[in-house]
Amino acid sequence: MTAAAKLPWALSVTDLFTIGIGPSSSHTVGPMRAAVHFAEQAVATATPTRVICQLYGSLALTGKGHATDTAVLVGLCGWLPDRVDPEAIAPLVTEIRATQSLKLAGVSDIVFDPEIDLQFMMGEFLPEHSNGLRFEAHYADNAPLIATYFSIGGGAITGDTVINSSSNIALPYAYGSGADLLAICHKEALTIAEVVARNEQAFRAEAETHEFIDAVRTAMMASIERGCAIDGTLPGGLNVKRRAKAMRDTLIKRGPRIDPSQIFEWVSLYALSVNEENAAGGRVVTAPTNGAAGVLPAVIKYYETFVPGATAEGSRTLLMTAAAIGFLYKNNASISAAEMGCQGEVGVACSMAAAGLCAALGGTPGQIENAAEIGMEHNLGLTCDPIGGLVQVPCIERNTMGAIKAINATYLALNGDGQHIVSLDAVIETMRQTGEDMRSKYKETSLGGLAVNVVEC
């Protein structure tokens, strides 16, 4: 089997699902991780006299709207996305700006003026990736430490100094394509979720994987609950009002009787609530990104609320199967909107959620692959054109569309036998080609589409 040759490293569910903060996995979570990594390297040498960070490409063009500057400052102080208290971020950044200093890696006090030392290189792109960061640490008696990082989507970072701990792990069922995955399922008489579960045993004990998946599901449900409990206006200057709380209150007042249209309203509410939390910088799960963080939680909540006989094991199956599909997109295309447009975020999330729900409902591997293909096929060409560089319009509503499409794709696939014209591999390759052909102004730069036309109107 040729799968292993296609994998740049062995991916785990922990690479795809990250409990972090909003508003963006590629612009917030990734840069924060890069800043932490650099800060630790910098103080390991000596106490720097000065640290500089330069942001390139999409990180510069939409960095302020995506809170990249905030992420870098918090990361330089040593805070990782899954460890920092979202409520503590604003006071920390205010203190840094007021004192023009920070505690690098949490241990070394240095002078740092964000207006001078955090530089937005507008219009400049590094050739390796659209999301580039370059750090410099200068010392009194040592040569400067210079490192470049790339935030490649979903909170993942690469760079010359970043070593992936899973690069040498051999998976028992490595696969590089959807066809490979189906062949493994057929040959070994395994479900897709079982393939993922057995591969995860190369990283950790089965109980630890279950614990992680359950924690992801719990964090997703918590983001729905928080989003439904808070109203007000989202930060950033667009004055977008939070709608989830009022929408939930309206649905509750209608009473317990549920018709099909109300089910769609509830699903939309679930996605809306998560992405309003994300836009406010709250705690969400990258799934596979922050901009698409509401799709999978909404579909899981749909399964647990409206599907008779739903179980905790079914939710695990949903997430493990979704991860299997996410690995294919991450390895064979990209989940970065700066490379693929929003088809690489909401489109991928829709494809993952459709596959996961189909599995939870008892679909065969062929039906699951079909559901994943349908989920992406009807998101091809979706641009990323956030107004004001904020993950709000059209991003929040786009997650509701992705969740509804995922459910629709599931039932279309379940009504078939798994045989279909367009394969998942073909649609992933089409997404990749479409992303490469898409003009950069439609890929998270806020230089085209709604980002400019709504402002001009």
Side-chain angles (χ1 to χ4, degrees):
M1 191 171 295
T2 61
K6 294 183 179 181
L7 301 176
W9 57 71
L11 290 173
S12 166
V13 292
T14 59
D15 296 311
L16 204 63
F17 300 130
T18 300
I19 301 172
I21 59 169
S24 171
S25 50
S26 60
H27 284 60
T28 310
V29 176
M32 191 180 296
R33 286 175 167 168
V36 169
H37 186 274
F38 181 78
E40 291 174 347
Q41 301 299 308
V43 299
T45 302
T47 299
T49 58
R50 186 184 182 193
V51 169
I52 299 170
C53 176
Q54 297 175 326
L55 305 176
Y56 292 87
S58 177
L59 295 184
L61 291 166
T62 62
K64 289 188 180 296
H66 286 69
T68 306
D69 48 352
T70 294
V72 169
L73 295 177
V74 174
L76 287 175
C77 292
W79 287 104
L80 286 165
D82 60 335
R83 303 287 180 85
V84 67
D85 178 2
E87 299 297 324
I89 291 176
L92 175 60
V93 172
T94 297
E95 181 182 0
I96 293 171
R97 294 188 182 278
T99 63
Q100 296 184 359
S101 66
L102 57 78
K103 189 175 288 292
L104 190 65
V107 297
S108 298
D109 290 308
I110 66 167
V111 173
F112 190 94
D113 182 355
E115 297 300 318
I116 297 173
D117 299 321
L118 182 52
Q119 303 167 3
F120 290 78
M121 313 303 287
M122 303 299 285
E124 295 187 34
F125 288 78
L126 298 179
E128 295 90 343
H129 194 277
S130 300
N131 293 331
L133 310 88
R134 181 167 290 154
F135 291 92
E136 298 178 11
H138 296 268
Y139 303 91
D141 300 315
N142 294 286
L145 174 66
I146 301 174
T148 302
Y149 300 83
F150 300 97
S151 182
I152 60 174
I157 55 172
T158 61
D160 294 337
T161 62
V162 180
I163 300 174
N164 191 284
S165 60
S166 63
S167 57
N168 295 318
I169 290 179
L171 302 180
Y173 297 112
Y175 60 92
S177 67
D180 285 347
L181 181 57
L182 290 178
I184 291 170
C185 291
H186 178 73
K187 180 181 178 181
E188 305 293 334
L190 297 171
T191 67
I192 291 176
E194 287 170 341
V195 170
V196 175
R198 297 195 182 189
N199 282 342
E200 291 300 313
Q201 291 180 28
F203 298 95
R204 70 195 73 81
E206 183 179 32
E208 292 180 39
T209 296
H210 285 171
E211 183 179 356
F212 173 78
I213 288 295
D214 291 346
V216 165
R217 180 238 164 235
T218 297
M220 287 178 169
M221 297 305 102
S223 64
I224 291 175
E225 292 304 312
R226 285 195 307 273
C228 286
I230 303 171
D231 55 16
T233 302
L234 294 172
L238 286 182
N239 297 318
V240 174
K241 292 183 178 180
R242 297 180 71 138
R243 291 178 283 173
K245 184 178 185 299
M247 186 174 176
R248 184 194 61 175
D249 292 344
T250 298
L251 287 170
I252 290 174
K253 286 179 182 178
R254 290 182 185 174
R257 182 177 178 180
I258 298 292
D259 63 37
S261 66
Q262 281 181 269
I263 292 176
F264 280 173
E265 287 185 83
W266 278 104
V267 172
S268 294
L269 167 65
Y270 303 148
L272 196 77
S273 62
V274 174
N275 284 86
E276 287 182 348
E277 269 297 284
N278 179 63
R283 180 77 68 207
V284 297
V285 179
T286 60
T289 68
N290 281 33
V295 176
L296 261 170
V299 173
I300 294 173
K301 185 72 170 175
Y302 162 80
Y303 166 72
E304 295 182 355
T305 303
F306 296 107
V307 173
T311 65
E313 188 58 36
S315 293
R316 281 182 188 162
T317 294
L318 194 160
L319 281 168
M320 295 288 269
T321 305
I325 303 306
F327 297 155
L328 291 173
Y329 284 100
K330 196 172 177 71
N331 274 324
N332 296 325
S334 172
I335 58 171
S336 169
E339 289 187 293
M340 296 287 112
C342 199
Q343 61 174 358
E345 294 205 26
V346 168
V348 172
C350 177
S351 183
M352 291 169 58
L357 180 60
C358 189
L361 296 179
T364 66
Q367 289 172 321
I368 293 166
E369 188 259 2
N370 189 14
E373 179 275 321
I374 295 170
M376 173 52 73
E377 185 176 346
H378 302 289
N379 279 292
L380 288 172
L382 190 60
T383 61
C384 182
D385 49 356
I387 296 174
L390 299 166
V391 192
Q392 297 181 15
V393 182
C395 317
I396 295 173
E397 288 183 355
R398 203 167 266 175
N399 276 257
T400 72
M401 300 296 108
I404 297 298
K405 280 185 179 181
I407 296 169
N408 190 17
T410 293
Y411 288 107
L412 283 173
L414 287 172
N415 275 288
D417 60 3
Q419 301 297 314
H420 50 107
I421 301 297
V422 180
S423 69
L424 177 59
D425 292 330
V427 84
I428 292 175
E429 174 59 16
T430 302
M431 186 200 84
R432 186 192 66 78
Q433 293 175 2
T434 303
E436 289 188 354
D437 290 341
M438 191 182 292
R439 295 177 64 181
S440 63
K441 71 178 183 178
Y442 297 116
K443 294 192 286 189
E444 211 168 9
T445 59
S446 286
L447 296 176
L450 290 174
V452 296
N453 288 317
V454 170
V455 173
E456 291 176 352
C457 295

